Amino acid sequence: MAFSTQDSDEVLSEINVTPLVDVMLVLLVVFIVTAPLLTNAIPINLPKTESVAPVDQKDPLVVSIDDKGKVFINKDEIQADLLEFNLQAAKAKNPDVRVQLQADNGVNYGEVARAMASIERAGITKLSVITAK
């Protein structure tokens, strides 16, 4: 039943949201205060250790395609149709070989797609495509 302070018999049909806002503000303050405490629930002093040298990784194979469509592996020019064969040989020597592919901005996308397909057919799964900022 709604109350009215006026002399008329009309019922006040507005919802008073002030208590709702008060409750929400109290809950917000509670969460703000307790959230930082939850992140570090257990204080632990970690031991100090010497730094460990990173795992020695070999340099990746760099496959480059210049603006004329010539294909290079580590600065050595090869024929485009021999790319897959050369990559298979590199994978036979090192099963964890990594390849970085970089192509000139003016190279047709088809050339880049063919190089990526050759890399995939050679069984190499670690491929990075190099771009400039």
Side-chain angles (χ1 to χ4, degrees):
M1 189 170 184
F3 294 102
S4 176
T5 59
Q6 299 175 354
D7 290 337
S8 69
D9 290 336
E10 291 182 23
V11 177
L12 183 64
S13 63
E14 296 176 4
I15 297 175
N16 188 3
V17 294
T18 305
L20 177 64
V21 172
D22 291 343
V23 170
M24 295 304 290
L25 287 174
V26 169
L27 286 174
L28 180 64
V29 169
V30 168
F31 285 129
I32 289 173
V33 170
T34 59
L37 300 175
L38 296 176
T39 58
N40 259 343
I42 302 172
I44 296 176
N45 292 325
L46 296 174
K48 304 272 190 259
T49 61
E50 296 294 324
S51 62
V52 178
V55 177
D56 189 25
Q57 293 184 349
K58 294 183 180 180
D59 291 333
L61 246 62
V62 179
V63 176
S64 305
I65 305 173
D66 69 358
D67 57 346
K68 296 178 182 90
K70 295 180 183 176
V71 179
F72 298 85
I73 294 181
N74 291 342
K75 299 182 182 181
D76 297 326
E77 184 179 353
I78 63 165
Q79 294 179 5
D81 55 343
L82 295 178
L83 177 62
E84 183 179 344
F85 175 75
N86 287 330
L87 292 174
Q88 287 173 346
K91 179 146 175 84
K93 291 179 187 175
N94 181 10
D96 293 329
V97 67
R98 296 176 296 132
V99 173
Q100 291 180 350
L101 176 63
Q102 58 186 9
D104 190 87
N105 195 24
V107 173
N108 185 353
Y109 176 73
E111 298 291 327
V112 177
R114 274 192 284 279
M116 291 176 74
S118 296
I119 293 168
E120 183 180 8
R121 284 193 305 267
I124 296 173
T125 57
K126 298 178 181 176
L127 171 66
S128 301
V129 178
I130 308 299
T131 60
K133 274 187 168 178

